[in-house]
Amino acid sequence: MPNIAKVLARVVVDDLDKAIPLYQALSGAEQAQKFGHGPVKLASVGPFLLLEAEGAEGYTNRTATILVFDVAPVVREIELAGGEIIEGPSAGPNGERLVARHPDGSVFEYIAVPNV
């Protein structure tokens, strides 16, 4: 069974509340899940993860957020490939998370969501 449940496109916006309606219309999502992580205000809207620009400076280097069923295989595969775990695994607002740099230099956030 594949470990990846969903990939979220990360979008930095100036105003979260003003941006949400467009991403709801584009994705057909009826609701947006708003939450915070440290200084960042976020909203999950369908296949989009919106980050409000103010406070998001340290979070904009990630290519995408990948929802997985389990982070342990992610750690193993990245380390076997010669990548680097930058943060975590640690608890996050929506589940266990980690940030990893792949050997090609791209950076991804992985979040465990076993019930997706």
Side-chain angles (χ1 to χ4, degrees), residues 16-98:
L16 198 62
D17 292 322
K18 288 182 180 178
I20 287 172
L22 169 63
Y23 290 92
Q24 283 178 302
L26 290 172
S27 67
E30 292 182 19
Q31 295 185 348
Q33 179 189 3
K34 291 170 59 175
F35 57 97
H37 183 66
V40 184
K41 295 178 187 173
L42 303 104
S44 178
V45 184
F48 300 101
L49 180 62
L50 309 180
L51 297 85
E52 190 166 277
E54 185 177 331
E57 297 83 16
Y59 297 84
T60 59
N61 68 332
R62 285 115 196 207
T63 302
T65 296
I66 301 173
L67 306 182
V68 296
F69 297 108
D70 185 3
V71 296
V74 173
V75 171
R76 182 177 59 250
E77 293 301 327
I78 288 172
E79 289 177 342
L80 282 172
E84 171 190 7
I85 304 303
I86 300 170
E87 282 181 39
S90 59
N94 296 318
E96 188 176 25
R97 65 181 287 282
L98 65 92

